[in-house]
Amino acid sequence: MVPPTHLPAPPAIADDWALFLDVDGTLLEFAATPEGVQVPPGLVARLAGLQRHLGGALGLVSGRRLAQLDELFAPLRLPAAGLHGLERRHADNHVDPPTPPSLLRVLHRKAELVVERFPGALVEDKDSTVALHWRGNHEAEQPLRDLADAALPWLHDYRLQAGDGVVELRPAGTDKGDAIAALLDEPPFAGRRPVFVGDDLTDEHGFEVVIARGGLAVLVGDRTPTLASHRLGAPRDVLAWLDATADAPSHRSTA
Ligand SMILES: [Mg+2]
């Protein structure tokens, strides 16, 4: 596999693209806390201009909630997938709300009883997912894993997503790739060449979808391995790339 640093920079944005952008680590530099991120001056106006340039086919695909995205980019409200695709806002402004099964609430309460016994362990509730963290207390790993394993058969269409020191129960069919595929089925995204820009491991699902549909996958940074076809070094390079489009005359995809 080609090392990410050898991947070419993406071509100029063409006006027949459907462009999807991750937020943290892609448009915005990471901060010490998720609340601490800064939206660079002019970025909101730049995104609004890009949305017009693309006939509306610009979407955000993020791990954040839609409400947080709207706060960050106010007054702009782009079509978006929040919580890695669990929340979706379509181009017509209609929002698919997450619908947590009541059994997830039961699991949540049980998990809270476990973490009370293991200080440092944590239950993170994102409405339709529950993440069980033991990075702060490894003695909680087995009890939390057992709890998740026991709950899974009762949670219809849910799956376990394992991470480093964490296991998350989340609905199947709700990753960033599913979110992009769903938006690509409807106007104004349908029929356009899909391009996704992202930095994180969870963005690889999105890369897979856009590549399968003849599009471009743009990695931000040098995470490896990756399915990406193109690369930009850091959020400041993404912004420069977006800027170049704002100044450039309209053109169609050539490749
Ligand atoms: Mg990211």
Side-chain angles (χ1 to χ4, degrees):
M1 189 173 278
V2 181
T5 47
H6 292 198
L7 292 172
I13 296 170
D15 56 12
D16 61 349
W17 283 9
L19 183 60
F20 301 98
L21 301 170
D22 168 54
V23 175
D24 293 81
T26 295
L27 285 178
L28 308 181
E29 298 282 354
F30 287 111
T33 63
E35 296 75 34
V37 292
Q38 300 282 337
V39 177
L43 177 58
V44 172
R46 208 175 304 174
L47 291 174
L50 194 55
Q51 187 186 25
R52 286 192 297 274
H53 184 86
L54 294 171
L58 175 66
L60 300 177
V61 184
S62 173
R64 289 180 184 267
R65 292 171 181 276
L66 289 182
Q68 288 179 307
L69 295 177
D70 289 345
E71 217 170 282
L72 283 171
F73 298 107
L76 195 59
R77 287 165 67 93
L78 291 170
L83 296 175
H84 298 99
L86 280 176
E87 293 180 316
R88 289 177 200 165
R89 177 167 58 227
H90 303 261
D92 64 3
N93 230 11
H94 163 80
V95 174
D96 293 336
T99 49
S102 53
L103 277 166
L104 206 62
R105 304 273 71 80
V106 177
L107 168 70
H108 186 213
R109 282 197 293 278
K110 287 193 168 194
E112 281 189 325
L113 294 176
V114 173
V115 300
E116 270 174 26
R117 286 167 30 220
F118 298 96
L122 189 72
V123 186
E124 187 187 6
D125 186 356
K126 298 181 184 173
D127 290 342
S128 44
T129 77
V130 170
L132 310 175
H133 298 265
W134 57 82
R135 205 171 307 157
N137 187 337
H138 284 266
E139 286 183 23
E141 174 173 355
Q142 202 54 52
L144 289 176
R145 279 188 184 280
D146 290 347
L147 189 62
D149 288 342
L152 191 61
W154 300 95
L155 292 164
H156 186 59
D157 283 342
Y158 267 61
R159 63 188 171 83
L160 280 179
Q161 181 173 280
D164 185 19
V166 60
V167 68
E168 184 166 357
L169 284 139
R170 52 186 296 116
T174 54
D175 61 37
K176 286 187 172 183
D178 299 311
I180 289 172
L183 284 170
L184 281 172
D185 279 345
E186 57 190 45
F189 299 96
R192 289 171 162 264
R193 187 178 198 201
V195 178
F196 179 41
V197 188
D199 67 301
D200 193 79
L201 183 61
T202 58
D203 295 326
E204 294 288 327
H205 296 294
F207 291 168
E208 197 177 339
V209 167
V210 297
I211 287 170
R213 296 184 182 215
L216 307 179
V218 183
L219 174 71
V220 181
D222 51 12
R223 185 180 45 73
T224 187
T226 179
L227 296 171
S229 53
H230 295 77
R231 172 184 177 268
L232 290 164
R236 64 179 172 279
D237 304 308
V238 176
L239 301 192
W241 180 64
L242 299 180
D243 265 350
T245 301
D247 302 335
S250 295
H251 68 284
R252 313 285 290 180
S253 294
T254 50

